[in-house]
Amino acid sequence: MGAWLEQYYVYWFWLGIPFFLCLFLLLEKYNPVKRIQSKQSLRFLTNSGLFVFSIVILFILLPTNPLGLAHEVYDEWGLLNLVDVPIFIEVLVSFLVLDLAMYVQHRLLHNIPWLWRAHKVHHSDVDFDCTTGFRFHPLEVLYTVSCQLLAVVIFGLSPLAILLFNFIHVPYAYFSHLNVKLGDKLERFLSFFIITPHLHRIHHSMDLVDSNANFSTFLTCWDAFFGTLRRSSQTGDFIQCGITELKDPKDIYLDTVLLLPFKSKK
């Protein structure tokens, strides 16, 4: 199964991104939570430009990726190699460890000032839609992938688990930022298991109480366990996204946000 998934992963990544992006943009057009404030073309250029820059930086600076490293260290390194368990248990535990690692690294992005300098590029978007899933500064992407590499080495994560996680992450990065009303019943059901667009929109709020909640990437259980789960915003149904220092849409386009981590706070 792993070999089959790996064979088609590249196609899933490069074909899945435009497919899900077009699908979600279409859904957002007909049932948005909130209309976009900034200029659509400049905002799309900013978010997609950051994605391209990040891919290039990763290719240049990192000699491997989490999947490649997992193949190298599997059955040789890591805490999971100290126990002998069935493959499906190993894959499940590896998946949970990777998702927990993403939760931890996200909290660090908010709590360590020099990491927040890079992460605030993602939060600087005064709008919130599926293209926000592209909006990560290359320095943050480098940090995130490095955390995944570290988790692979420490735990000896299963390559199959990393493949499954990445297959889910491709559409989920855009779904969790979806600017679409899911409906109360569907929202309540999904949010019991996974981070929904509403839960993640709360995390993108300008209100610091809201933005210091809902750190999970996929599974809601980590926020529930560590007491950071927040189901309703302090500001009610109207959630103003962004960061206080950059309220004007003209200040959050590509030329500004690329240099944002290197600028002192206004």
Side-chain angles (χ1 to χ4, degrees):
M1 180 180 179
W4 181 84
L5 284 175
E6 193 164 351
Q7 181 180 358
Y8 289 99
Y9 174 68
V10 174
Y11 300 104
W12 174 254
F13 184 84
W14 290 111
L15 297 178
I17 287 177
F19 171 77
F20 285 107
L21 185 62
C22 291
L23 174 63
F24 292 152
L25 284 172
L26 187 63
L27 291 174
E28 289 175 338
K29 181 178 180 181
Y30 291 103
N31 191 28
V33 174
K34 184 181 176 184
R35 295 294 177 185
I36 300 300
Q37 304 174 59
S38 21
K39 292 182 179 179
Q40 291 268 33
S41 57
L42 288 176
R43 185 168 168 275
F44 184 81
L45 176 63
T46 297
N47 294 348
S48 58
L50 286 169
F51 175 78
V52 172
F53 278 124
S54 297
I55 294 295
V56 171
I57 291 296
L58 286 179
F59 181 78
I60 294 174
L61 295 183
L62 288 184
T64 187
N65 57 62
L67 180 60
L69 184 61
H71 279 299
E72 292 180 24
V73 305
Y74 188 56
D75 285 337
E76 295 184 13
W77 290 67
L79 297 176
L80 293 179
N81 288 306
L82 300 178
V83 292
D84 186 17
V85 294
I87 184 65
F88 74 92
I89 296 294
E90 182 181 352
V91 170
L92 176 61
V93 172
S94 293
F95 185 95
L96 292 174
V97 166
L98 187 56
D99 200 44
L100 175 59
M102 295 295 287
Y103 170 87
V104 172
Q105 67 88 22
H106 192 181
R107 289 198 69 171
L108 293 177
L109 283 166
H110 281 258
N111 294 328
I112 299 177
W114 59 272
L115 289 177
W116 170 246
R117 283 176 170 266
H119 187 51
K120 68 181 178 180
V121 170
H122 182 62
H123 279 265
S124 67
D125 200 345
V126 296
D127 294 302
F128 183 90
D129 70 2
C130 61
T131 69
T132 310
F134 280 138
R135 191 187 181 88
F136 295 96
H137 194 277
L139 291 177
E140 179 183 344
V141 175
L142 189 63
Y143 158 76
T144 299
V145 175
S146 297
C147 288
Q148 293 175 352
L149 292 171
L150 185 61
V152 168
V153 172
I154 293 175
F155 294 97
L157 300 181
S158 162
L160 179 56
I162 294 174
L163 271 173
L164 291 173
F165 189 86
N166 287 341
F167 265 90
I168 292 173
H169 188 70
V170 168
Y172 203 76
Y174 314 116
F175 170 78
S176 62
H177 296 90
L178 198 60
N179 182 26
V180 168
K181 300 174 184 177
L182 294 182
D184 292 340
K185 289 184 179 180
L186 183 59
E187 171 65 35
R188 280 195 299 269
F189 175 75
L190 291 179
S191 66
F192 186 78
F193 303 100
I194 61 176
I195 292 294
T196 60
H198 172 68
L199 291 180
H200 199 59
R201 181 184 286 270
I202 292 173
H203 177 71
H204 274 256
S205 171
M206 274 191 184
D207 187 284
L208 290 178
V209 175
D210 287 343
S211 64
N212 281 297
N214 301 348
F215 293 101
S216 294
T217 297
F218 180 52
L219 297 174
T220 320
C221 60
W222 310 122
D223 279 305
F225 181 80
F226 291 105
T228 54
L229 182 62
R230 190 172 185 84
R231 295 188 179 277
S232 58
S233 171
Q234 279 207 141
T235 56
D237 293 334
F238 179 80
I239 300 174
Q240 178 59 57
C241 297
I243 54 178
T244 306
E245 63 193 87
L246 293 171
K247 293 182 179 180
D248 193 330
K250 73 175 191 290
D251 291 331
I252 49 95
Y253 295 130
L254 188 60
D255 57 337
T256 302
V257 296
L258 274 175
L259 297 177
L260 193 56
F262 311 104
K263 293 181 178 180
S264 58
K265 186 176 179 180
K266 292 183 178 180

